[in-house]
Amino acid sequence: MPYRRLPNTDQARVRALKTAVEKGELYNVRDLAITLKTLFEARNFLQRFEAAQIYYTQCYDNQSRASRKHQSNVKTARLYISHFIQVLNLAVLRDEIKVAHKDLYGLPDTNTVPDLLSEAALVEWGKRIIDGEQRRMSQGGIPIYNPTIARVKVHYDIFLDSYERQKNYQALTSRSLDELASMRDRADELILDIWNQVEANYQDVTPNEARLEKCRDYGLIYYYRSSEKVKKENKISCL
């Protein structure tokens, strides 16, 4: 015997509910395989659930589109910040800048570049470098060139702006997903109730394949086990 399986994706849940709800538009009350109460609940819930799914999809798409541009900004900011620190370290090695001045940037005495892999690190070190260079120049220090701190700041500000926007996109996507996820249990309850009513309504229909077909018309999905598939294929090949 084939077995049924409840939908396991939001799109499949929407399809299952929509299929059942559409029967209310096609059949009169006496021909319906589900109660009017269930049909009314499913119709109202479907509107909210489908709207939540569409909103989540929109949020996710907006985040994905923004992410591509954001990653480009991240790459450029990392390049400029890293390059500036390397030039600063070389200036220290050439005694053009005192080692003690590295404290203004929050940099260690060792001529190394901090770990800039994470975006949070870029936010932190970009601010440190910009503030440190401004403090050093205010004390009469000669500015670093190639890249200048002005150029670094331009790309850092672009990155910071897209970083904040990306966090907002991520927050919207997360909230919309939480809202959608909170509705899934109710969606599964409604679908299970509908499917149970449909199967109960058609339980006396024979042959079995005709009964399954009537149930499928309401959106029920049946799966055949591997052994059943083989038997079915052999039966068809013998015809």
Side-chain angles (χ1 to χ4, degrees):
M1 286 289 291
Y3 65 96
R4 71 187 193 190
R5 187 164 65 200
L6 286 173
N8 57 8
T9 67
D10 293 323
Q11 288 183 335
R13 290 182 177 96
V14 168
R15 284 197 301 270
L17 289 168
K18 190 173 288 187
T19 301
V21 167
E22 286 174 350
K23 300 307 170 188
E25 309 295 332
L26 299 175
Y27 300 149
N28 59 46
V29 176
R30 290 175 299 178
D31 295 331
L32 273 177
I34 58 178
T35 65
L36 285 177
K37 178 178 179 293
T38 300
L39 177 63
F40 178 77
E41 290 177 350
R43 183 184 288 120
N44 288 342
F45 178 81
L46 175 61
Q47 292 176 347
R48 294 184 289 109
F49 187 62
E50 191 170 20
Q53 192 216 10
I54 292 172
Y55 180 60
Y56 165 70
T57 301
Q58 290 174 342
C59 290
Y60 182 81
D61 289 344
N62 289 339
Q63 178 186 329
S64 297
R65 283 194 297 269
S67 178
R68 289 190 287 272
K69 177 60 177 175
H70 175 61
Q71 290 308 312
S72 175
N73 294 334
V74 170
K75 182 178 179 181
T76 303
R78 182 180 291 119
L79 178 66
Y80 272 85
I81 293 171
S82 173
H83 191 189
F84 184 90
I85 295 173
Q86 292 176 59
V87 172
L88 174 62
N89 286 335
L90 288 173
V92 171
L93 287 174
R94 294 192 297 264
D95 291 327
E96 296 171 357
I97 294 177
K98 296 179 180 179
V99 177
H101 285 165
K102 295 185 74 174
D103 290 340
L104 298 172
Y105 305 85
L107 289 167
D109 291 343
T110 56
N111 293 314
T112 58
V113 177
D115 185 355
L116 301 174
L117 286 179
S118 72
E119 293 182 18
L122 280 179
V123 172
E124 177 186 354
W125 281 106
K127 186 176 187 310
R128 285 188 182 186
I129 295 306
I130 293 169
D131 292 346
E133 180 70 353
Q134 290 173 345
R135 283 196 294 268
R136 190 179 63 82
M137 288 190 298
S138 70
Q139 296 175 10
I142 299 174
I144 289 176
Y145 294 97
N146 195 27
T148 63
I149 199 62
R151 177 72 68 175
V152 174
K153 189 175 186 306
V154 166
H155 292 289
Y156 175 75
D157 287 345
I158 292 173
F159 152 71
L160 195 60
D161 184 56
S162 69
Y163 173 75
E164 294 298 333
R165 282 202 308 271
Q166 194 65 13
K167 286 203 301 183
N168 290 335
Y169 281 130
Q170 290 170 350
L172 283 174
T173 301
S174 179
R175 284 199 297 269
S176 63
L177 179 58
D178 288 343
E179 175 66 20
L180 183 61
S182 71
M183 302 174 75
R184 287 172 183 158
D185 286 345
R186 180 55 179 158
D188 291 341
E189 288 175 3
L190 282 169
I191 294 169
L192 180 61
D193 185 29
I194 290 169
W195 288 13
N196 286 341
Q197 289 185 42
V198 171
E199 286 192 330
N201 187 75
Y202 294 128
Q203 62 183 341
D204 296 328
V205 174
T206 55
N208 187 58
E209 193 58 39
R211 180 182 68 81
L212 293 179
E213 199 57 38
K214 285 184 175 293
C215 292
R216 289 190 183 102
D217 194 41
Y218 273 83
L220 276 75
I221 300 175
Y222 291 98
Y223 295 88
Y224 287 93
R225 296 173 177 82
S226 298
S227 58
E228 291 174 329
K229 288 181 181 179
V230 172
K231 291 178 182 178
K232 189 175 181 181
E233 290 171 357
N234 291 339
K235 184 176 180 180
I236 292 175
S237 63
C238 293
L239 295 179

